[in-house]
Amino acid sequence: MTTWFIADLHLDASRPGITQQLLDFLASVQGRADALYILGDFFEYWVGDDALGTPHAAVFLPVVDALQRLSASGVPMYFQHGNRDFLVGEGFAKATGCTLLPEQQVIDLYGTPTLLLHGDSLCTDDVEYQQLRKLFRNPQWQQQFLSLPLGERIQQAEAMRVQSRMRMQGKAETILDVNPQAVVETMAAAGVSRLIHGHTHRPAVHDVTIANRPAQRIVLGDWHEDRGSFLSVDAGEVRLTV
Ligand code: MN
């Protein structure tokens, strides 16, 4: 059997092709999955679980149903927050059958200790973003945001999305990528020989050295309207499809 990893779908009403890719993918892993891990930026943005019952999130209901079906069929599913969908909460977890994971999670993946995280925490060269990240992850800020009327939250999320795009345009590619030292330190601190993350949209399997031992950093790919991207791992093989 196989464990599946996906990230950076950026599900959004404006790109229905990605939603369809996801529904196809979820149907295809049915019956051949030990577990499914979603490592962040599943949604382009998420303004709160209370949106689930409203027209705003109606477009995501087929996804919620499909996840729920997969979970009900006995596949454990895990959800880690990205920098876009950090407000996904217990309401979403309950509706889908997913278990929410902390920012960093170490799992035993067929005998290999493996660290899972979204990836934005490793982009330490982007100082401006790291400050914003601190704000978005602040429980008080989150509570305040969630207490706004839904329409206002959607407006703010749309504005933040535009701002984020503008910030990225002015920055060098290297600043937006992970910092190699942060990778080494984070993996060493977690005591793992494998790291799986998303965020950078630069899918690849990198060989790294952690504590003088060979190790691996696997970067998941982002999704497009005509194709998904996923990692499958079993006892013998690691396969990254982009
Ligand atoms: Mn991200």
Side-chain angles (χ1 to χ4, degrees):
M1 291 275 268
T2 305
T3 300
W4 299 87
F5 298 85
I6 57 175
D8 299 295
L9 291 85
H10 295 268
L11 290 177
D12 183 62
S14 71
R15 298 195 296 171
I18 295 181
T19 302
Q20 193 51 53
Q21 296 288 336
L22 172 64
L23 295 175
D24 293 347
F25 167 75
L26 293 174
S28 77
V29 302
Q30 183 96 44
R32 53 189 193 109
D34 281 331
L36 169 66
Y37 288 85
I38 300 169
L39 301 190
D41 287 357
F42 187 64
F43 296 107
E44 173 69 3
Y45 62 81
W46 192 252
V47 293
D49 294 348
D50 58 333
L52 266 175
T54 73
H56 168 69
V59 65
F60 301 128
L61 290 183
V63 171
V64 170
D65 283 348
L67 289 173
Q68 207 283 325
R69 272 199 305 276
L70 194 58
S71 140
S73 79
V75 178
M77 295 192 308
Y78 303 93
F79 188 104
Q80 218 165 21
H81 295 110
N83 53 300
R84 301 304 197 98
D85 51 11
F86 50 86
L87 288 175
V88 165
E90 287 300 335
F92 176 84
K94 210 169 174 190
T96 56
C98 286
T99 300
L100 297 181
L101 295 181
E103 260 183 63
Q104 293 198 9
Q105 177 73 45
V106 176
I107 61 170
D108 176 351
L109 196 52
Y110 307 104
T112 302
T114 301
L115 174 63
L116 311 177
L117 47 80
H118 177 58
D120 57 324
S121 60
L122 300 172
C123 300
T124 52
D125 293 329
D126 193 347
V127 177
E128 181 192 18
Y129 168 69
Q130 291 303 329
Q131 275 166 354
L132 265 178
R133 183 177 195 275
K134 220 177 269 173
L135 177 71
F136 293 153
R137 299 267 180 167
N138 179 315
Q140 264 170 328
W141 182 90
Q142 292 190 356
Q143 223 164 47
Q144 217 161 33
F145 183 84
L146 289 172
S147 68
L148 296 172
L150 183 62
E152 205 167 315
R153 277 181 267 160
I154 293 168
Q155 251 178 9
Q156 285 201 21
E158 290 283 356
M160 284 190 263
R161 193 177 169 195
V162 174
Q163 282 161 10
S164 155
R165 212 168 291 155
M166 279 164 53
R167 269 198 312 274
M168 283 178 70
Q169 273 169 5
K171 279 175 190 160
E173 290 282 293
T174 48
I175 290 181
L176 297 171
D177 203 353
V178 298
N179 175 291
Q181 192 58 33
V183 169
V184 169
E185 282 168 12
T186 303
M187 290 182 73
V192 296
S193 53
R194 190 191 275 145
L195 164 65
I196 301 174
H197 72 83
H199 182 64
T200 61
H201 301 191
R202 298 171 197 207
V205 178
H206 298 278
D207 292 319
V208 291
T209 304
I210 304 298
N212 296 318
R213 296 223 173 107
Q216 228 175 15
R217 174 171 74 94
I218 303 173
V219 189
L220 304 175
D222 53 322
W223 286 50
H224 301 264
E225 289 213 80
D226 59 349
R227 67 197 149 87
S229 176
F230 37 83
L231 173 74
S232 63
V233 180
D234 59 29
E237 198 182 18
V238 168
R239 184 179 295 176
L240 180 63
T241 304
V242 293

